[in-house]
Amino acid sequence: MKFGKEFTSQMVPEWEEAYMQYNHLKTILKEILIFRRLRQNQTSPPYKSPQRVILSERHSLYRAFSGLTNRVGNYNEENSSDTEEVILVSEIQHQEQCMHYQTMFFRSWEEGAENEIVFFKRLDDEFNKAICFYKRQVDEVVMEAEELNKQMDALFALKVRINFHTSSTPPNSGLSPLDEIQETPERNQTKMVSLDILNHIKINVTPESGLSPPWRTIFDGTKSDLSFSKRELRTAQAKLKQAFVEFHRKLRLLKSYCFLNQLAISKIMKKYDKVTSRNASKAYLEMVKNSYLSQSDEVVKLMERVESAFITHFANANRSLGMKDLRPRAKKDKHGVTFFVGCFFGCLISLVVAVILTIRARDLLKSAGRDQYMINIFPLYSLFAYIVLHMLMYAGNIYFWKRFRVNYSFIFGFKPTTELGYKEILLFSSALLVLTLGAVPSNLEMEMDERTLSFTTLTELVPLGLFSVLLLIMICPLNIMYRASRFFLIVNLWHCVCAPLYKVTFPDFFLGDQLTSQVQLLRTVKFYICYYGWGDFKRRSNTCNQSSLYEFLNIFIPIIPYWFRLLQCMRQAFEQKDYGPAMNGLKYLSTIVAVVTRTLYVQRRGTIMRIIAASSSGVATIFNTYWDVVKDWGLLCKDSKNPWLRDKLMLPSKSVYFVVMVMNVILRLAWMQTVLDFHETPWLHQSAMIFVVASLEIVRRGLWNFFRVENEHLNNVGKFRAVKSIPLPFSYEDEQGTMIH
């Protein structure tokens, strides 16, 4: 791999703008090389005829060789003098208190020197940018290290206090070596100082993502008295442990940033020497060696101290265990996953062909039991199709996020050791689809014949069995089938259900948006309960639509996901004191009104209901489309560098954004098919039409996912936010007596 690609692949995505623009400098060098080659061709000796060359070879051979020898000697002499005469690098103090460097090019009188002047000017700008960014980040981590010191002092004091009040053992038998305070005057003084810290701190009892009613934000989420419990101690210790892990990760990113930029300067200067036949790299690299980027050792020393403290106090002095937490290894790709994905997709092709041939051979589309099958059996299997399609779209999202360097793992908070790649998603979805298509032939007979009983009770229970297996896999407590990812999904789903009681994070409202595109899946779950609970599934019939409760559930169930998102938006608006989430909640409220009126129109019909349903659906569609494109994707910015898009784009082709915006509008309009009375056509059953529209909404959601996460990533890039911010467990008083969180 060439260094340019390797350099880009190892960048911290959120800090990409702070790195040296190696490829741009390389482009300038290519322009210098092209100019030198053109000048060399123009100054080359005129063309000689073959006869002239043959006659003169005898007389000029020795002189040519002698001249080559002389030129080598001159080249070496020129190189030795270029070290002192090509460039001069000087230091300039900048306003940001970081040293800047400026290069003076001594060969500006030469022909074509303009490009070389531009090269060194751009090189100085990039190097100065890297130094200033690195110094700012180092200053930040030094301040964060001081804050962690204060937090650890408070933690040790809290341990001593709790151990003294909850056990008969003396305080000097604490949980860590620092708690063992010996009975000497100096140690007693240290003990008094440590315990005195508790008089100036408060413990933050509000959990980061746990159960926390919104009205708690009105009051101070701290505990001022000193009656702390062991549970609060464990919570504080867990928060500090996580803070140490994130702090160590930031230090590792800074160390990598420093090394990569120095390596890029070395590479580009060697290329410059090769292109220009000069020896300017020695002087420039000597300056780099003496600069803050190379001489600063705060990051390395902090890493050593953090590792030592973490191993001692959070890993029971077990270095291997502590380093495993501090430096988790990314999960490696397994060849078995790729193999089984290929096997399952091969089986899918065979099953699809078998189902098509069965339908055609038996002429089932014209069978008398066609309507009975489409009304009762087809919706049962469509549930698995919705799940598989959503997983396939998500697998595609992961693939393109990785390809275009969108740091989705950081945005969602995935752990490197348990994160699922697109291959694992394809494996699970293809396996589920194989099971579904394998079960379809058991219910494919569409003719109800009481004499032959062509389908039995067992075959009618196959969809319910598949659904039960899927639920059991999701809640299985054993460490199989990606347990960490399954539990992550369940936890975020629980946060959606208890939306107003939990602090809203990005995974929470992202999952809530996914549920709004799976309304038909929720309706199918309701149909499962009715069909197998109160329907005559042995005879493939049901009376669900005749129940008033079922009609009420038809209205209530579709609005559940939108209600979750509305509550999440209200919680965000309450905490942030911002109108943005409130406007977003208004969008979901308009969607709830549209869903209710559309469902009532389907049940009762009538011109007035149709007008109300069409009006509410139109307003909701326009509102949702505007919010998708402008707010969630950040597009349609009139004054941006990319007209009608945004300043920063991850995709190389701008036309893709315009195409996706048009597709989003079209797919949003498909959502209005209910009030447009496109229920059934001569060649497509109503159940099939519902399935197609629901599938289009899932596809639209998959497109929305990519650009929503891309926009979130660019927001992190603009703020250089590359590590997770962990709320610290203790607040302390400043000199004025004000509590600092």
Side-chain angles (χ1 to χ4, degrees):
M1 180 185 294
K2 292 186 177 181
F3 176 75
K5 293 183 178 180
E6 184 178 358
F7 181 63
T8 303
S9 65
Q10 294 187 15
M11 286 181 179
V12 180
E14 289 77 10
W15 294 352
E16 189 169 350
E17 291 187 356
Y19 284 85
M20 292 187 58
Q21 299 298 320
Y22 177 83
N23 290 330
H24 184 74
L25 294 171
K26 193 175 176 181
T27 302
I28 299 176
L29 287 183
K30 288 182 179 179
E31 295 177 358
I32 297 174
L33 179 61
I34 292 173
F35 176 81
R36 284 179 168 268
R37 286 180 177 177
L38 291 175
R39 188 178 63 178
Q40 184 179 3
N41 292 335
Q42 292 175 0
T43 59
S44 60
Y47 173 76
K48 297 181 180 181
S49 64
Q51 294 182 355
R52 179 70 177 257
V53 173
I54 293 174
L55 293 173
S56 60
E57 278 181 355
R58 186 179 304 173
H59 301 283
S60 62
L61 179 60
Y62 179 77
R63 289 197 302 271
F65 182 76
S66 177
L68 178 62
T69 306
N70 290 335
R71 282 196 294 273
V72 171
N74 294 335
Y75 174 76
N76 290 333
E77 292 175 3
E78 185 178 72
N79 281 347
S80 63
S81 62
D82 279 349
T83 304
E84 300 178 356
E85 297 180 358
V86 176
I87 60 173
L88 175 65
V89 185
S90 56
E91 298 179 356
I92 301 175
Q93 188 70 26
H94 196 258
Q95 295 179 354
E96 299 180 0
Q97 301 302 320
C98 59
M99 193 64 66
H100 274 207
Y101 297 89
Q102 184 175 0
T103 303
M104 182 180 295
F105 183 61
F106 288 142
R107 301 297 180 89
S108 58
W109 49 268
E110 292 184 357
E111 184 181 4
E114 295 83 3
N115 288 334
E116 296 185 55
I117 295 175
V118 171
F119 170 79
F120 281 108
K121 177 66 170 60
R122 186 58 185 267
L123 181 62
D124 290 340
D125 293 341
E126 296 297 327
F127 181 63
N128 293 331
K129 177 185 70 175
I131 288 180
C132 288
F133 177 80
Y134 183 71
K135 191 175 188 306
R136 288 197 302 269
Q137 294 296 321
V138 170
D139 292 341
E140 287 182 9
V141 296
V142 170
M143 294 176 61
E144 291 174 9
E146 292 293 335
E147 179 64 29
L148 286 177
N149 283 337
K150 296 178 182 179
Q151 296 286 322
M152 290 298 291
D153 290 340
L155 180 67
F156 293 145
L158 185 61
K159 283 183 179 180
V160 173
R161 172 62 64 89
I162 291 178
N163 289 334
F164 179 74
H165 287 288
T166 59
S167 65
S168 59
T169 59
N172 58 354
S173 60
L175 299 177
S176 68
L178 290 184
D179 294 326
E180 298 178 3
I181 304 175
Q182 300 178 357
E183 296 299 331
T184 62
E186 295 180 357
R187 301 297 287 179
N188 284 333
Q189 184 179 3
T190 303
K191 176 182 176 181
M192 293 300 295
V193 171
S194 298
L195 295 180
D196 186 63
I197 295 176
L198 295 177
N199 297 324
H200 304 282
I201 63 106
K202 293 182 180 180
I203 184 170
N204 301 319
V205 296
T206 303
E208 176 188 2
S209 60
L211 194 62
S212 55
W215 53 84
R216 280 192 182 179
T217 57
I218 299 177
F219 309 101
D220 186 12
T222 58
K223 188 173 180 179
S224 58
D225 60 359
L226 301 180
S227 58
F228 302 115
S229 64
K230 283 190 174 182
R231 181 185 62 83
E232 292 169 344
L233 174 63
R234 288 193 296 268
T235 301
Q237 192 165 1
K239 283 188 175 182
L240 272 179
K241 180 179 179 180
Q242 193 176 4
F244 265 83
V245 171
E246 292 297 325
F247 184 65
H248 187 269
R249 181 172 180 269
K250 186 174 184 178
L251 294 175
R252 286 189 285 114
L253 295 179
L254 277 175
K255 184 178 179 181
S256 173
Y257 173 87
C258 178
F259 171 76
L260 283 177
N261 280 284
Q262 292 184 70
L263 185 59
I265 295 173
S266 176
K267 293 284 186 180
I268 203 66
M269 286 305 301
K270 289 180 180 179
K271 285 184 177 293
Y272 172 82
D273 287 352
K274 183 178 180 181
V275 169
T276 61
S277 300
R278 304 186 192 280
N279 191 12
S281 60
K282 183 176 181 181
Y284 205 92
L285 294 180
E286 186 69 22
M287 177 272 296
V288 174
K289 183 179 179 181
N290 297 325
S291 67
Y292 182 82
L293 195 65
S294 179
Q295 292 295 322
S296 174
D297 59 350
E298 288 96 336
V299 173
V300 176
K301 289 182 179 179
L302 276 176
M303 287 185 66
E304 294 175 354
R305 294 170 185 170
V306 168
E307 290 173 1
S308 177
F310 187 87
I311 292 170
T312 302
H313 304 298
F314 297 107
N316 295 325
N318 188 333
R319 181 172 180 81
S320 61
L321 180 63
M323 295 307 296
K324 184 179 179 181
D325 291 334
L326 288 177
R327 298 185 179 183
R329 295 182 179 181
K331 189 172 61 175
K332 297 181 180 179
D333 291 336
K334 298 181 179 179
H335 298 293
V337 174
T338 306
F339 172 78
F340 282 108
V341 168
C343 288
F344 286 140
F345 273 97
C347 294
L348 286 176
I349 296 174
S350 302
L351 289 171
V352 169
V353 172
V355 170
I356 293 175
L357 292 178
T358 302
I359 294 175
R360 186 170 183 82
R362 298 182 181 181
D363 199 15
L364 296 179
L365 293 179
K366 298 180 181 179
S367 172
R370 171 178 175 266
D371 290 340
Q372 193 178 24
Y373 179 88
M374 294 299 295
I375 292 174
N376 296 283
I377 302 300
F378 183 81
L380 301 178
Y381 284 108
S382 64
L383 178 141
F384 306 103
Y386 298 143
I387 297 175
V388 170
L389 180 59
H390 212 135
M391 294 178 69
L392 291 177
M393 296 300 298
Y394 181 64
N397 291 148
I398 292 178
Y399 174 80
F400 286 106
W401 284 332
K402 283 189 175 182
R403 180 176 178 181
F404 295 106
R405 292 180 51 76
V406 176
N407 196 359
Y408 70 95
S409 300
F410 170 68
I411 294 173
F412 289 108
F414 293 151
K415 295 181 180 179
T417 54
T418 58
E419 175 189 350
L420 291 184
Y422 69 95
K423 291 183 180 179
E424 287 81 4
I425 303 295
L426 290 177
L427 175 65
F428 194 84
S429 58
S430 59
L432 179 59
L433 195 55
V434 166
L435 291 176
T436 304
L437 289 179
V440 165
S442 64
N443 299 97
L444 202 56
E445 180 62 52
M446 297 182 184
E447 183 177 357
M448 181 76 170
D449 190 346
E450 296 182 357
R451 294 172 299 177
T452 60
L453 294 177
S454 58
F455 51 86
T456 61
T457 303
L458 182 62
T459 59
E460 293 301 302
L461 289 174
V462 169
L464 181 61
L466 283 176
F467 184 65
S468 302
V469 169
L470 187 61
L471 287 180
L472 290 176
I473 292 175
M474 280 297 301
I475 62 176
C476 178
L478 301 179
N479 192 13
I480 57 175
M481 294 185 181
Y482 312 115
R483 182 181 65 176
S485 299
R486 289 188 285 109
F487 281 16
F488 181 83
L489 177 62
I490 293 173
V491 168
N492 285 280
L493 185 61
W494 176 251
H495 289 176
C496 291
V497 174
C498 304
L501 302 180
Y502 282 84
K503 184 177 180 179
V504 182
T505 61
F506 186 90
D508 295 336
F509 69 75
F510 187 85
L511 179 60
D513 283 322
Q514 308 308 304
L515 294 177
T516 60
S517 295
Q518 287 287 8
V519 170
Q520 193 57 41
L521 183 142
L522 298 179
R523 286 172 171 164
T524 305
V525 172
K526 173 199 63 177
F527 181 74
Y528 262 89
I529 297 174
C530 178
Y531 182 71
Y532 286 105
W534 293 277
D536 189 4
F537 66 90
K538 296 180 180 180
R539 295 181 177 275
R540 197 175 288 175
S541 63
N542 72 88
T543 57
C544 296
N545 292 326
Q546 300 175 9
S547 171
S548 58
L549 176 62
Y550 193 83
E551 290 186 354
F552 170 75
L553 292 178
N554 276 337
I555 300 175
F556 177 74
I557 288 181
I559 69 174
I560 291 177
Y562 302 104
W563 179 251
F564 290 162
R565 286 295 290 122
L566 175 61
L567 295 179
Q568 288 177 339
C569 292
M570 294 299 100
R571 174 67 186 255
Q572 287 180 309
F574 193 84
E575 289 181 343
Q576 301 173 9
K577 304 297 188 294
D578 186 14
Y579 290 106
M583 293 298 295
N584 194 17
L586 186 61
K587 177 193 72 174
Y588 291 105
L589 182 60
S590 67
T591 308
I592 290 174
V593 174
V595 171
V596 171
T597 55
R598 288 169 53 184
T599 308
L600 290 175
Y601 167 70
V602 172
Q603 294 178 355
R604 302 179 183 179
R605 297 292 175 176
T607 304
I608 296 178
M609 284 303 304
R610 184 175 184 180
I611 294 175
I612 295 175
S615 301
S616 60
S617 297
V619 171
T621 300
I622 295 173
F623 201 167
N624 280 270
T625 303
Y626 167 80
W627 200 272
D628 287 345
V629 176
V630 178
K631 299 297 183 179
D632 291 338
W633 296 353
L635 302 177
L636 290 182
C637 298
K638 183 179 179 181
D639 299 326
S640 66
K641 297 178 182 178
N642 305 297
W644 298 108
L645 296 177
R646 61 170 111 87
D647 291 339
K648 300 175 183 178
L649 303 174
M650 299 299 294
L651 300 182
S653 177
K654 299 178 184 178
S655 59
V656 174
Y657 292 90
F658 292 102
V659 171
V660 171
M661 282 191 286
V662 174
M663 290 181 62
N664 185 72
V665 173
I666 295 174
L667 293 175
R668 279 287 187 186
L669 292 176
W671 185 67
M672 294 184 62
Q673 59 84 26
T674 303
V675 296
L676 298 178
D677 282 338
F678 292 154
H679 295 103
E680 186 171 1
T681 62
W683 51 273
L684 194 63
H685 194 272
Q686 179 181 356
S687 298
M689 174 63 77
I690 294 174
F691 173 78
V692 170
V693 173
S695 299
L696 290 177
E697 170 59 21
I698 295 173
V699 172
R700 189 201 65 80
R701 180 59 61 184
L703 297 175
W704 180 90
N705 289 345
F706 177 85
F707 295 98
R708 177 64 184 89
V709 176
E710 179 205 22
N711 191 36
E712 184 70 17
H713 170 77
L714 292 176
N715 290 335
N716 292 338
V717 169
K719 300 175 183 177
F720 297 108
R721 186 169 52 199
V723 294
K724 185 179 179 181
S725 178
I726 305 298
L728 298 176
F730 301 104
S731 302
Y732 59 91
E733 294 181 354
D734 59 5
E735 296 178 356
Q736 288 77 24
T738 305
M739 296 304 299
I740 300 177
H741 298 280

